Amino acid sequence: MKNESPKYRFDKFNQNWIIVKVSDIAGQYKTGGTPSTKKPIFWEGTIPWIQSSDIQKDTLFGVIPQKFISEEGLRNSSAKLILKNSIAIVTRVGVGKLAIIDQDYATSQDFLSLSDLKGDTNFLVYSIYRMLQKESTQQQGTSIKGITKEDLLFKKISLPKIEEQSAIGSLFRTLDDLLTSYRDNLANYQSFKATMLSKMFPKAGQTVPEIRLDGFEGEWKLCEINDLADDFQSGGTPKTNVQEYWDGDIPWIQSSDLGINCLFEIKVQKSISEKGLENSSAKIIPKDSIAVVTRVGVGKLAVMRHEYATSQDFLSLSNLKSNIEFTAYLLYRLLQKEVTQLQGTSIKGITKGKLLSKEVLIPSLPEQQAIGFYFSNLDNLISSNQEKISQLETLKKKLLQDMFI
């Protein structure tokens, strides 16, 4: 049975694709099972036993098994040994997740595995992934909790000739390898930043940091946050039912506009007018201030390079006496510790007075500038990787729509 060709394809391919059932693309279909957890001997083996939580949503490769069963566990359960390079599809808890498994394995009963594949493995896994994506979109809002083996095998996908399958599969595998590389880089940079934040600021009871940039020595000076700036302004919210107070030229910052980890990432969603400013407790905050969330979303903050106003959830530090980047990272580290201490309590924020009276240690201005520059560069690397990941995800989504039927 013939089908139309996809919207976009490689130049040298022009033959129509054919429609087949999922049951037509594999020689074997195996379900899984769970050995008795009451018998440790069943779980002291070397056979990877895949469960739904091992497979990440939208990630089709690189599955890392968390549990292993023995030959005896395999023989005494409905689990089956499945050959490597098969496609494991979650059909129950976590329905829609799937992956190519690169080693011999067994699965829980939540899976159907396709083996002895009749086509390019990479193409087939992306084709099934795309089909399940479309099904999920169509079924949003329903109470479907899974899919039967029979229903899955009866579903249809479209296939080109093997040469085109290989070209498409290779393209998407390359995209996913790039995404994995950038995600790994991002995780490494974020971990490194967290480590350096803990080591480049003095720990409790210390007056110098564990790691120091070259050329600096001497103890850091104790002061209060109140000493780091000349002006401290809170914010306010104009009445939301008065249209003329909104959509003006003054950026109005709310907690949700700020990122959790990046201190320079602000996505302003709303603006207010001069009338909105005059008829509320909102204030114009000068550029090169630090906006600190003290209520809903406490712990987030941002360096603001332009004039702005904020909601009442903020305290802004203006006319800084210390280096702005250093002060931002100093406050970030302080607030992260505060949030950790508040976890599990009913306290949802920190008062202006309590924040300003907190004691901190600061070095000389040149060392502040060097530390601020160091962490700003790290955040630039983090932002760059995040942007590349976002671009690749957008490209992959577009190509999945246009290169499959």
Side-chain angles (χ1 to χ4, degrees), residues 190-229:
Q190 289 173 328
S191 177
F192 182 68
K193 176 185 172 183
T195 298
M196 297 311 287
L197 278 169
S198 71
K199 294 181 180 294
M200 289 182 67
F201 290 85
K203 290 182 169 60
Q206 303 294 316
T207 56
V208 294
E210 181 180 342
I211 294 177
R212 205 160 191 180
L213 298 174
D214 290 342
F216 299 105
E217 57 184 19
E219 295 185 344
W220 288 26
K221 175 186 174 183
L222 184 67
C223 65
E224 293 183 352
I225 292 176
N226 189 59
D227 300 321
L228 301 181

Side-chain angles (χ1 to χ4, degrees), residues 8 10 60-61 122-123 125-127 129-130 165-179 392 395-404:
Y8 175 80
F10 294 106
L60 310 184
F61 307 93
N122 288 331
F123 174 86
V125 75
Y126 285 109
S127 185
Y129 169 70
R130 172 68 177 142
Q165 289 183 36
S166 297
I168 295 170
S170 178
L171 170 65
F172 280 94
R173 183 63 190 264
T174 299
L175 277 175
D176 266 336
D177 286 346
L178 280 171
L179 274 168
L392 283 170
L395 175 62
K396 178 182 171 183
K397 182 178 180 181
K398 175 65 174 172
L399 291 178
L400 278 168
Q401 292 173 343
D402 292 349
M403 294 189 74
F404 290 86

Side-chain angles (χ1 to χ4, degrees), residues 347-404:
I347 299 172
K348 301 301 182 183
I350 183 171
T351 65
K352 174 181 176 180
K354 183 177 179 182
L355 177 61
L356 294 181
S357 65
K358 283 190 172 294
E359 292 186 331
V360 292
L361 288 161
I362 63 171
S364 65
L365 185 58
E367 188 170 3
Q368 291 179 35
Q369 292 168 337
I371 293 171
F373 183 73
Y374 180 89
F375 282 104
S376 294
N377 280 342
L378 262 182
D379 265 340
N380 286 337
L381 286 170
I382 289 171
S383 294
S384 175
N385 275 271
Q386 287 172 327
E387 180 62 25
K388 287 172 182 174
I389 289 169
S390 178
Q391 290 171 353
L392 283 170
E393 287 175 338
T394 300
L395 175 62
K396 178 182 171 183
K397 182 178 180 181
K398 175 65 174 172
L399 291 178
L400 278 168
Q401 292 173 343
D402 292 349
M403 294 189 74
F404 290 86

